[in-house]
Amino acid sequence: MSRKTISFGSLSPLVGFHLRRASGEFALDFRSAVEGTGMRQVLVGILAVVEANPGINQGAVGKMLGIKRANMVSLINELVERGALERTMTPRDRRSFSLELTVSGKALLAECMTRIAVHEKKLLAGLSDLEQQLLLNLLSRIESPAG
Amino acid sequence: MSRKTISFGSLSPLVGFHLRRASGEFALDFRSAVEGTGMRQVLVGILAVVEANPGINQGAVGKMLGIKRANMVSLINELVERGALERTMTPRDRRSFSLELTVSGKALLAECMTRIAVHEKKLLAGLSDLEQQLLLNLLSRIESPAG
DNA sequence: TATTGTTATACTCTATAACTATA
DNA sequence: TATAGTTATAGAGTATAACAATA
C-alpha cells in the first residue's frame, strides 16, 4: 500500500519492546472493556487480591502488585469510598487495617471479570488455546516481584 | 516460608495481568540499564525508529510507537536540544520536518542498545533461545497498532 | 529500631481541545 | 477540508522524603 517500507529497526528483536506494545494494547482495550464501571487496571487488581486473601492489609496488597505504600493510600480510599472495600481495625496489630470486599464490591469485581474475559478472548483470538497457555507460562517465568 | 499462602486469585489466568507485570519488570530494569545516559524507553524508541527510517517526520514516528502528536513535540524537542536528533525543513512539504540522527545521536543509541542487550539477556536468562523466539512470535501476534 | 499508614510533592505519561501554517 | 506541528491543560501512574502511631 505504501511506497516506502518503514521498520522498527533495532527495536524489533527486543522482547521488552514487544512486551511494552502488547501490554499497552491490552491496557487500552481494558479501558473500553470496563467503561462505565469507573474501574481501572490497578483497582481491579486490588479487588482481586483482596478477594483471594480476605483480611489482608494494604501494604501486603501493594507488595503483591508492585504498588508503593504511599500510592496505595488514595487507591484504597477510592475503593472504600465507593463502597467496594471495607477497612476494619484488627486488635492483633493496631497499625494496620484488615481489608475485605463488601457485597457490592464482590458484585463489582464479578462484573469486571466477566467483561475482562470477553476482552481477553477478543485480544487473544489469534492464538490457539495451547499458544495462550504457552504465553502465560513464558510470561510468568519472566516476572519476579512477588511472582 | 510464610504461614499463609497468598494468591493473585482471579488475576492468575489473565494474560493481560501477566503482560502488565512482565512489562513493568522490564521497564524497571530498563531504567537502571540506561542509567546515566538520560534516556528513557520512549526516547530510545524514537531514536531507533528514526535511525531505521531516516528522513521520517515526527507524526509518522508517533504513529508507529503509539504516541499522540501533541506528546511528540516535547519528546522531539528534548532529543534535538541534547543534540541527538536533527530537524531539517523539507521543500516537499513545508508543514513537516525531516528527522535524522546526528553523529552523537547514533553513538548514544548504540550505547543504549549495548546496555539493553545486557538487560534483555539478564531478564530472559530463564528462557531458552527457542523459548525467547517463541515469546517474540506470540507477542508480535497480539500487537496491532502499526504492528 | 522497624513497620503501617499517611501527607506532601514532583515527574513522567497519556489524553483532549484548540490554534497556525501549510497542503 | 485535511494534515503537521504546536500549545495548554488535566488526569493517571510512579517515585521519594518525612511524619505519627504502633510493634
Side-chain angles (χ1 to χ4, degrees):
Chain A
M1 280 298 162
S2 56
R3 208 167 43 78
K4 218 175 184 178
T5 308
I6 52 178
S7 91
F8 288 108
S10 42
L11 300 179
S12 294
L14 298 180
V15 171
F17 172 64
H18 292 281
L19 275 176
R20 186 175 149 93
R21 282 169 63 80
S23 176
E25 187 65 7
F26 268 68
L28 209 67
D29 192 75
F30 184 99
R31 277 200 191 185
S32 51
V34 299
E35 199 174 70
T37 65
M39 293 294 279
R40 309 189 297 278
Q41 281 186 315
V42 215
L43 298 180
V44 172
I46 293 173
L47 288 190
V49 166
V50 172
E51 184 194 45
N53 311 277
I56 194 172
N57 65 43
Q58 75 189 53
V61 175
K63 255 176 212 162
M64 289 184 71
L65 297 174
I67 307 169
K68 295 260 188 292
R69 278 195 315 286
N71 297 325
M72 283 299 291
V73 180
S74 60
L75 295 170
I76 295 292
N77 283 342
E78 194 176 340
L79 289 169
V80 168
E81 277 159 24
R82 69 172 286 174
L85 221 55
E86 207 174 28
R87 201 166 16 196
T88 59
M89 263 278 302
T90 86
R92 265 192 63 128
D93 185 337
R94 280 157 53 222
R95 289 173 304 184
S96 65
F97 301 101
S98 176
L99 297 176
E100 292 192 32
L101 294 196
T102 63
V103 174
S104 102
K106 283 178 192 172
L108 175 60
L109 178 57
E111 165 70 13
C112 287
M113 292 309 299
T114 302
R115 298 191 188 197
I116 292 167
V118 177
H119 136 87
E120 286 248 328
K121 193 167 184 181
K122 179 175 73 178
L123 294 192
L124 295 170
L127 304 188
S128 71
D129 285 359
L130 192 70
E131 286 171 328
Q132 292 179 28
Q133 280 311 116
L134 195 47
L135 179 56
L136 268 179
N137 174 276
L138 294 172
L139 289 176
S140 66
R141 285 164 57 200
I142 59 177
E143 301 167 21
S144 68
Chain B
M1 280 297 164
S2 56
R3 208 166 44 78
K4 216 175 185 178
T5 309
I6 53 179
S7 91
F8 288 107
S10 42
L11 300 178
S12 294
L14 298 180
V15 170
F17 171 64
H18 293 281
L19 275 175
R20 186 176 150 91
R21 283 168 64 75
S23 176
E25 186 66 7
F26 268 68
L28 208 67
D29 192 75
F30 185 99
R31 278 198 190 187
S32 51
V34 299
E35 199 174 68
T37 65
M39 292 295 278
R40 309 189 298 277
Q41 280 188 315
V42 216
L43 298 180
V44 172
I46 293 173
L47 288 191
V49 167
V50 173
E51 184 194 45
N53 311 278
I56 194 173
N57 66 42
Q58 74 188 52
V61 175
K63 255 176 211 160
M64 289 184 73
L65 296 174
I67 307 169
K68 294 259 187 293
R69 278 195 315 285
N71 297 325
M72 282 300 290
V73 180
S74 59
L75 294 171
I76 295 292
N77 283 343
E78 194 176 340
L79 290 169
V80 168
E81 277 159 23
R82 69 172 287 173
L85 220 56
E86 209 175 27
R87 204 169 9 199
T88 60
M89 262 279 301
T90 85
R92 265 192 64 128
D93 186 337
R94 280 156 55 223
R95 291 173 301 184
S96 65
F97 301 101
S98 176
L99 298 176
E100 293 194 30
L101 293 196
T102 62
V103 174
S104 103
K106 283 179 192 169
L108 174 60
L109 178 56
E111 165 70 13
C112 287
M113 292 309 298
T114 303
R115 297 191 188 199
I116 291 168
V118 177
H119 136 86
E120 285 248 328
K121 193 167 185 184
K122 180 175 73 177
L123 294 191
L124 295 170
L127 304 187
S128 71
D129 285 358
L130 191 71
E131 286 172 328
Q132 292 179 28
Q133 280 311 116
L134 194 49
L135 179 57
L136 269 178
N137 175 276
L138 293 172
L139 288 175
S140 67
R141 285 165 58 199
I142 58 178
E143 301 166 21
S144 69

